[in-house]
Amino acid sequence: MKILLPLLALASASLALAQAPVAPASSALRPFGLVIHGGAGVIERRNMSPDLDAQYRATLQQALDAGYAVLDRGGTALDAVVAAVTVMEDSPLFNAGKGAVFNADGICEMDASIMNGATLQAGAVAGLQHVRNPLHLARDVMEKSKHVFLIGEGAEKFAWSLGYERTPNEYFQTDFRRKQLERAKQLESRKDNGTAALPADLASPTTRDERHFIHEQKYGTVGCVALDRQGNLAAGTSTGGMTNKKFGRVGDVPVIGAGTYANNATCAISATGWGEFFIRATVAHDISAQMEYQGKDIRAAAAATLAKVAQLGGDGGVIGLDARGNVMTDFNSEGMYRAYRISDRKTVIAIYGDEPR
Ligand code: ASP
């Protein structure tokens, strides 16, 4: 009996072990985390005051912390993306939600999209003028409508049908962005009425001024990619687009496969940059496709895609995460507001081209 009892105890313990779910143990070891951006463009040390630099870093940290907290407690990648982007949409520093750039009529007009890498479901909105957090509505399009992409008044009608509060456009407007619009209009009056095609040779000295003019009209778009403890990826991007935009112009941000893409089999990507070129190069999906069809790693794939964008004459940046938690932050502009945290490793926050990417 003395021998039998410990044997019985051992047998019942191993039975309990065999029946115990294995998921919690393995998911505890899985990498999780997120990468965020606050836009790419002509962001240089010499044009940034120490105070503004500190404000940007503090808000990036706050956004990263909001997303990380969701993942750390076992929440979904989608919830983390929404949590991080909401902080940046609510901050006047970025060109998304409050602080969005003005269109040519002096109105803030916003676009956003989100994608679930586990299901390949996606939601997108464009031309919103009265929805406080455009990314929230993009998510509701994905989860509560049978569509993927809603625009303008129709998208807002959908928001009201869900009980969203109508936010006055003045809420989004800031003096800084108004001055940017005034400057863009002054420069434009010396050029064309905004309908002229871009010069074919964008690299020539005569068009350098043109490039600078266009660069001044954008940046500050925000985005996030996340990997949760269950191994699911998600991506989301939100923007006011380009200053002085006309004729219902929509950039890459709400175009699934251009500004945003997520697929558990490859990666999650959020882009920022000169939207016209990012649409033409189908940037976010192009990175995923190289990983899927050519077996490239996320960094090599992103570098190849940004080279295509540059060849077309555009610039900007991308952030990404793959299902193993490999981080990518890359850009061919002067700088990009960016930050990431993977599992319990140290947070990285960077702005300029000479900082880690
Ligand atoms: N990609 C955005 C757009 O073209 C602008 C940006 O990323 O700053 O609308």
Side-chain angles (χ1 to χ4, degrees):
M1 194 60 186
K2 259 186 200 164
I3 297 171
L4 206 61
L5 263 178
L7 270 181
L8 272 176
L10 203 69
S12 68
S14 59
L15 195 71
L17 262 184
Q19 284 168 349
V22 286
S26 60
S27 68
L29 300 175
R30 274 194 186 135
F32 67 94
L34 73 165
V35 189
I36 60 173
H37 72 76
V42 193
I43 306 163
E44 292 168 313
R45 249 178 238 284
R46 60 190 162 98
N47 299 327
M48 186 83 84
S49 71
D51 180 50
L52 196 58
D53 177 293
Q55 283 182 43
Y56 273 110
R57 287 180 200 266
T59 312
L60 288 171
Q61 180 78 65
Q62 209 188 325
L64 199 68
D65 289 348
Y68 189 85
V70 171
L71 299 171
D72 197 28
R73 61 172 181 260
T76 66
L78 274 177
D79 284 342
V81 164
V82 173
V85 168
T86 300
V87 170
M88 294 187 281
E89 283 182 336
D90 289 346
S91 161
L93 290 174
F94 301 98
N95 172 20
K98 187 168 183 63
V101 299
F102 285 81
N103 70 9
D105 300 325
I107 304 283
C108 296
E109 204 173 52
M110 294 152 286
D111 312 326
S113 69
I114 195 162
M115 187 155 181
N116 181 345
T119 59
L120 302 187
Q121 283 177 297
V125 287
L128 302 182
Q129 297 186 0
H130 306 100
V131 174
R132 183 183 162 118
N133 292 104
L135 194 75
H136 295 192
L137 189 59
R139 184 177 186 171
D140 279 335
V141 170
M142 173 171 78
E143 292 179 344
K144 298 179 182 162
S145 86
K146 52 179 187 292
H147 307 296
V148 169
F149 201 165
L150 302 180
I151 61 162
E153 271 179 42
E156 293 199 338
K157 265 191 206 158
F158 175 63
W160 316 148
S161 79
L162 296 176
Y164 276 61
E165 197 181 311
R166 187 181 189 280
T167 303
N169 198 260
E170 291 71 32
Y171 160 81
F172 303 100
Q173 303 177 6
T174 59
D175 286 347
F176 171 65
R177 297 299 186 193
R178 192 179 298 282
K179 285 196 187 101
Q180 275 187 335
L181 175 65
E182 282 160 15
R183 184 167 156 69
K185 283 191 181 284
Q186 275 167 13
L187 286 165
E188 188 185 64
S189 65
R190 288 191 241 138
K191 290 175 183 294
D192 58 61
N193 66 0
T195 55
L198 289 169
D201 177 12
L202 282 158
S204 80
T206 46
T207 58
R208 215 171 276 149
D209 184 37
E210 183 84 17
R211 289 178 65 85
H212 192 72
F213 169 59
I214 291 164
H215 284 151
E216 282 211 340
Q217 297 174 65
K218 61 175 175 61
Y219 63 80
T221 289
V222 306
C224 175
V225 294
L227 171 66
D228 62 32
R229 287 180 185 269
Q230 291 71 45
N232 293 318
L233 288 165
T237 318
S238 181
T239 190
M242 283 174 85
T243 302
N244 202 24
K245 61 187 182 181
K246 304 177 176 67
F247 315 122
R249 181 265 185 192
V250 175
D252 59 315
V253 167
V255 178
I256 298 299
T260 304
Y261 191 74
N263 182 345
N264 276 4
T266 53
C267 60
I269 302 290
S270 171
T272 169
W274 194 344
E276 279 66 13
F277 293 95
F278 277 60
I279 294 174
R280 289 166 57 199
T282 56
V283 165
H285 185 262
D286 193 61
I287 296 170
S288 168
Q290 290 173 69
M291 294 174 72
E292 186 172 358
Y293 305 138
Q294 297 184 315
K296 275 196 191 168
D297 68 65
I298 192 166
R299 284 173 167 249
T305 301
L306 282 180
K308 288 184 204 169
V309 171
Q311 203 166 10
L312 291 175
D315 66 356
V318 279
I319 57 167
L321 257 183
D322 70 15
R324 282 172 297 175
N326 292 308
V327 172
M328 178 278 292
T329 65
D330 201 1
F331 48 95
N332 61 7
S333 51
E334 285 76 357
M336 178 168 77
Y337 300 105
R338 57 200 187 275
Y340 60 87
R341 181 164 180 200
I342 303 301
S343 301
D344 51 11
R345 276 183 256 149
K346 220 173 94 235
T347 292
V348 176
I349 299 182
I351 298 177
Y352 311 107
D354 57 10
E355 292 180 279
R357 52 175 96 183

